Amino acid sequence: MIRYFQTLNILIFGFLILGCSSIKSPVETPLKSETVAIIPKPQVLTHHKGVYQLPHQNTISFSGSAEIAAQWLSKLLQDANLQSTIRANSKKGNFKLIQDPALIGQLSEEGYSLDIDKQGVTIKAAGEVGLFYAIQSLTQLLPANLKSMPMDSKPLVLPQLHVEDFPKYSWRGNMIDLARSFFGVEYLKRHIDRMALYKMNRLHLHLTDDQGWRIELNSKPLLTEIAGKSAVKNGKSGFLSIEDYKELQDYAADRHVVIIPEIDLPGHIYAALVAYPELNCDDLSNLNPKMATPPELFDGYKVGWSKLCLTDPETYSFVAEVLREVSAMTVGPWLHIGGDEINDDLYETFVVKADSMVRSFGKIPIGWEEVSKADVSQDLIVQRWNGKTTPLKKSKVIESICTSFYFDHANVTGQEKTNNWCQKSGVSLEDVYNFNDKADEIIGVEAPVWTELVVSDAMLDNRLWPRLMAVAEIGWSLSHDDFKEFSKRLSLHKSRLEALEIDFYPAPELNP
Ligand code: TNX
């Protein structure tokens, strides 16, 4: 049978060769660019006729302080096996980067314009971040498999077009729960690259919970020495050292992603209570029901059973010390204080204190929506997750409503190892995309992945992708009302997700 096909192949091949050689003057087939499918969808995209063929030798000229962007661009060209030279303070190049603060009015801080015509590529932005995002769009106009393309493949071409683009929201985020199961610097760096490609800019790390403590602190070394060793059943333990945390933040900052650390207080705290058992109330009434007692570690799923001893003054010195050190080592302006799922008469008093501590350490506090029951400051940002809290006053909101954004929930009804308490059917790609962001107080959106049941890189990839691309579009694009059209663009990214070695959930929408 195999031989039969081989013979057939040879015959067909021979026929093609003969057929071709009989054509006297070969017809020029116009070079075709990749189909344009930018995610998130740009605000303005005008197609022009024709393509721009990339020469082997390129010149990147830049004005203003666009040198870093020039280097990103040069790296992209290098991935495509193309040479480039960078020319400062010049407008002579087939790639022109123009950074001009005066463009802020037209394009906003993160926006950019991108023009491709027969002369080459022109990118304009008010600042570095806009130039960076233009390069992400450009990346998406080139083949997904750039790095693995054979040297002698067809010349690369870009479609001639005009893009003018800027984000709808400043907050386009994702949360990863490192506390239940740990994910280290290597995964997180890869993830930051992937986020940046889709213009996402906030990575919230849930660093502490009953099952583990994941951030090293000089002032409280036992937190990681003891509580860094535990994890949820089948989960990974470990922690980010002070150097890891710095390295991660630097890596993220280069890609315009801000890390937001979360120290979950005053509940979800059992791991810390094992490290420093003196923080428990003398009668252990702060553990109820007692799912574990120190020095035993906790690897279960139950939530809402542990809290700090809010009547003990020691508690407040501990919290102040921890928040002071985390604030000092954090580059970004925010610090998340958790605040979810606890019942205590002193809860509101605690939240007000923690809010003021964070501000005194120079950071903007964020809390899960329950904190809005307390008389919080104007600065504090509320993260909505179940929409059940009536706030005492108006605050800025990060939208993470579980029916649209809880990615520990199933991609498809019945998917194994998923929590589905918020929505039995799970949270499908369409559920995410159809999120209705009419609320005027939201500063953006964020999708959390809780990891009680997500214990490997492949599982985390599966929960994040491709749903995170819908979050990226909700966060960036002014309109997101046509799921069919989004699905079409998404399907053109399947090979890109493969090239990035993402173990994505094979959503039917990825297959046209
Ligand atoms: C609720 S949502 C939690 C987490 C759990 C999650 C599981 C929120 C602020 N807290 O502690 O991991 O449900 O879906």
Side-chain angles (χ1 to χ4, degrees):
M1 193 66 162
I2 291 175
R3 178 152 305 160
Y4 168 78
F5 278 119
Q6 277 172 349
T7 318
L8 195 66
N9 267 341
I10 291 166
L11 279 174
I12 292 172
F13 189 62
F15 176 76
L16 282 176
I17 298 217
L18 280 174
C20 288
S21 60
S22 70
I23 297 170
K24 296 265 158 30
S25 53
V27 181
E28 281 262 323
T29 46
L31 287 167
K32 276 183 70 186
S33 66
E34 300 288 300
T35 311
V36 176
I38 301 174
I39 293 179
K41 182 174 60 183
Q43 314 307 0
V44 177
L45 167 60
T46 319
H47 296 266
H48 298 308
K49 251 173 91 188
V51 294
Y52 172 62
Q53 182 176 328
L54 292 173
H56 190 70
Q57 181 60 49
N58 296 274
T59 305
I60 303 169
S61 65
F62 72 86
S63 66
S65 58
E67 182 157 14
I68 296 172
Q71 280 157 4
W72 281 116
L73 191 52
S74 158
K75 192 180 164 298
L76 176 64
L77 295 171
Q78 199 182 328
D79 287 346
N81 273 317
L82 302 174
Q83 310 286 322
S84 61
T85 44
I86 296 177
R87 219 184 263 175
N89 300 321
S90 154
K91 285 189 176 165
K92 280 194 199 127
N94 58 327
F95 281 88
K96 294 185 196 65
L97 294 173
I98 298 160
Q99 187 257 329
D100 178 1
L103 290 166
I104 197 147
Q106 183 194 338
L107 294 171
S108 82
E109 203 191 324
E110 296 180 285
Y112 65 91
S113 70
L114 166 66
D115 283 281
I116 307 175
D117 59 23
K118 47 184 190 311
Q119 261 88 49
V121 177
T122 306
I123 290 171
K124 292 183 188 166
E128 215 188 287
V129 55
L131 298 174
F132 180 79
Y133 285 148
I135 295 167
Q136 305 316 306
S137 292
L138 197 60
T139 306
Q140 293 188 17
L141 296 175
L142 288 165
N145 62 339
L146 264 193
K147 287 188 195 165
S148 57
M149 270 183 0
M151 295 284 257
D152 58 352
S153 50
K154 281 190 303 189
L156 281 174
V157 292
L158 288 164
Q160 293 193 24
L161 47 68
H162 167 71
V163 171
E164 209 163 307
D165 207 9
F166 51 85
K168 179 173 187 181
Y169 294 116
S170 62
W171 198 281
R172 305 177 300 277
N174 168 219
M175 186 209 84
I176 300 181
D177 170 6
L178 302 190
R180 273 51 181 266
S181 187
F182 182 63
F183 294 87
V185 173
E186 210 187 301
Y187 183 91
L188 295 173
K189 279 188 175 173
R190 229 178 315 140
H191 184 58
I192 287 165
D193 286 336
R194 297 163 173 181
M195 284 176 69
L197 177 63
Y198 294 105
K199 306 189 179 84
M200 299 198 70
N201 63 354
R202 304 282 182 261
L203 179 59
H204 164 186
L205 300 177
H206 181 74
L207 292 167
T208 67
D209 216 299
D210 294 321
Q211 296 87 342
W213 187 283
R214 308 291 178 218
I215 181 87
E216 183 185 27
L217 298 179
N218 278 327
S219 60
K220 302 281 168 199
L222 299 183
L223 287 171
T224 42
E225 272 174 42
I226 294 174
K229 295 210 169 85
S230 62
V232 77
K233 228 172 285 167
N234 303 317
K236 285 174 285 182
S237 58
F239 62 88
L240 298 174
S241 67
I242 290 169
E243 297 85 75
D244 287 344
Y245 186 62
K246 184 180 179 323
E247 184 184 329
L248 192 67
Q249 291 187 95
D250 290 348
Y251 190 88
D254 287 347
R255 289 151 185 81
H256 305 282
V257 173
V258 181
I259 304 279
I260 295 99
E262 178 188 347
I263 306 296
D264 200 350
L265 301 164
H268 290 266
I269 194 75
Y270 182 73
L273 298 170
V274 178
Y276 292 98
E278 61 274 22
L279 290 171
N280 287 285
C281 297
D282 291 341
D283 58 359
L284 294 186
S285 57
N286 57 314
L287 305 177
N288 185 23
K290 287 190 184 53
M291 300 305 298
T293 36
E296 197 188 343
L297 298 166
F298 177 68
D299 69 355
Y301 302 135
K302 176 117 185 120
V303 294
W305 60 277
S306 75
K307 58 189 177 189
L308 288 165
C309 188
L310 298 189
T311 48
D312 181 359
E314 277 295 298
T315 292
Y316 298 90
S317 334
F318 171 83
V319 169
E321 193 73 40
V322 167
L323 295 180
R324 186 197 54 74
E325 190 169 347
V326 176
S327 298
M329 65 205 267
T330 296
V331 179
W334 301 282
L335 199 165
H336 201 303
I337 56 169
D340 55 324
E341 299 177 313
I342 106 140
N343 222 337
D344 194 297
D345 291 345
L346 291 172
Y347 174 75
E348 280 87 349
T349 315
F350 177 88
V351 168
V352 168
K353 280 190 184 169
D355 172 359
S356 115
M357 280 180 204
V358 170
R359 286 181 294 117
S360 75
F361 301 135
K363 298 290 170 190
I364 300 166
I366 306 177
W368 293 108
E369 64 173 68
E370 290 95 315
V371 299
S372 64
K373 289 188 283 189
D375 188 16
V376 292
S377 67
Q378 275 303 312
D379 298 347
L380 183 138
I381 301 169
V382 170
Q383 185 164 13
R384 178 154 48 218
W385 63 282
N386 65 9
K388 290 185 182 158
T389 317
T390 313
L392 211 59
K393 50 190 187 199
K394 239 178 146 132
S395 302
K396 289 180 187 160
V397 172
I398 297 165
E399 185 64 82
S400 294
I401 192 79
C402 54
T403 44
S404 297
F405 297 115
Y406 262 37
F407 287 5
D408 59 334
H409 281 45
N411 279 290
V412 64
T413 312
Q415 183 178 19
E416 278 188 2
K417 310 244 182 242
T418 56
N419 285 321
N420 293 300
W421 54 262
C422 174
Q423 191 157 266
K424 273 210 190 85
S425 58
V427 173
S428 68
L429 181 68
E430 194 165 359
D431 290 336
V432 184
Y433 198 76
N434 287 344
F435 167 69
N436 180 348
D437 53 336
K438 290 251 157 66
D440 57 358
E441 77 277 24
I442 76 172
I443 59 166
V445 290
E446 182 178 304
V449 187
W450 301 100
T451 58
E452 287 98 334
L453 304 170
V454 179
V455 294
S456 68
D457 293 2
M459 289 169 92
L460 185 51
D461 276 4
N462 173 288
R463 302 302 182 268
L464 287 164
W465 303 96
R467 289 185 292 192
L468 207 53
M469 294 154 85
V471 178
E473 185 139 317
I474 295 168
W476 182 283
S477 309
L478 288 177
S479 74
H480 54 93
D481 48 15
D482 188 345
F483 182 63
K484 260 207 176 129
E485 186 276 330
F486 170 71
S487 303
K488 216 157 147 205
R489 260 181 300 124
L490 186 81
S491 68
L492 294 162
H493 280 251
K494 188 177 177 189
S495 54
R496 208 165 283 284
L497 299 182
E498 282 162 353
L500 292 167
E501 296 181 359
I502 297 178
D503 275 311
F504 55 86
Y505 166 69
E509 290 85 358
L510 283 168
N511 298 315

